[in-house]
Amino acid sequence: MHISGTAKHPRVAGNMNLTDGSVQTYLLKGISGKYLYDDGFINLQDFVVGLFVADIKFAGTMTKDQKLDFDIVANNVDISKSPYLDRNLSIEGLLNVDGHIDGYVANPLFNGSVESKELKINGETYTDIAGVYDPFLVDIVLKIKNIYVNPNPS
């Protein structure tokens, strides 16, 4: 860690590495990455959050007024372990997610793409799934548009 600046305008830069823990009841395998805090501006680079459903990689910034600008990638997300699933719906499979978070901390917006080689939904198998989504993280509403599902699974 490197600290510079003044008490009123600090600048802190370094690397972090957390192993085993939890954030708001989510168990973590670990968090690692490079950070810079400069008088209210935050820059995160090469961050990896290890969850038990996937490893999430992200990088980006948050301004002093809490405006977000982050790119995020998560591969092989085990959708069956998602805490946001309707428990009356049976879904199995792995998803890949690639997107961008912007907006503000109080109202983050997520836009991106999702794809899966195969998902089982209530016992039915769907293959070659791809789509574009723009959910609002605040309400966990998922709007999917331009989705493709292979109508002839092999």
Side-chain angles (χ1 to χ4, degrees):
M1 177 188 308
H2 179 76
I3 301 173
S4 60
T6 65
K8 284 189 175 183
H9 304 286
R11 179 180 172 93
V12 181
N15 295 304
M16 75 171 290
N17 189 22
L18 165 77
T19 57
D20 298 321
S22 67
V23 174
Q24 295 184 347
T25 71
Y26 291 101
L27 294 176
L28 302 172
K29 294 185 291 184
I31 300 176
S32 63
K34 299 174 190 173
Y35 63 88
L36 167 68
Y37 175 87
D38 190 2
D39 195 25
F41 175 85
I42 297 172
N43 184 332
L44 303 177
Q45 294 300 316
D46 303 320
F47 257 73
V48 177
V49 176
L51 302 172
F52 287 95
V53 296
D55 287 337
I56 301 170
K57 298 175 184 178
F58 66 94
T61 61
M62 182 178 76
T63 62
K64 196 171 189 174
D65 64 349
Q66 298 188 327
K67 180 154 179 40
L68 304 172
D69 183 11
F70 285 93
D71 291 318
I72 184 169
V73 174
N75 290 317
N76 298 317
V77 178
D78 185 349
I79 192 69
S80 69
K81 295 180 181 172
S82 171
Y84 301 113
L85 276 183
D86 179 340
R87 292 298 150 201
N88 295 320
L89 185 64
S90 171
I91 300 180
E92 297 175 27
L94 301 176
L95 293 176
N96 295 323
V97 179
D98 187 350
H100 186 82
I101 298 174
D102 58 11
Y104 291 86
V105 169
N107 188 24
L109 303 173
F110 188 81
N111 295 291
S113 61
V114 62
E115 67 92 16
S116 178
K117 297 256 185 241
E118 180 179 292
L119 288 179
K120 274 190 178 179
I121 303 173
N122 288 340
E124 293 290 326
T125 300
Y126 300 90
T127 62
D128 300 319
I129 300 165
V132 176
Y133 58 87
D134 59 12
F136 290 83
L137 294 179
V138 182
D139 297 324
I140 312 300
V141 173
L142 182 62
K143 299 176 185 175
I144 297 182
K145 54 188 175 185
N146 302 329
I147 191 162
Y148 169 79
V149 178
N150 183 357
N152 300 310
S154 48

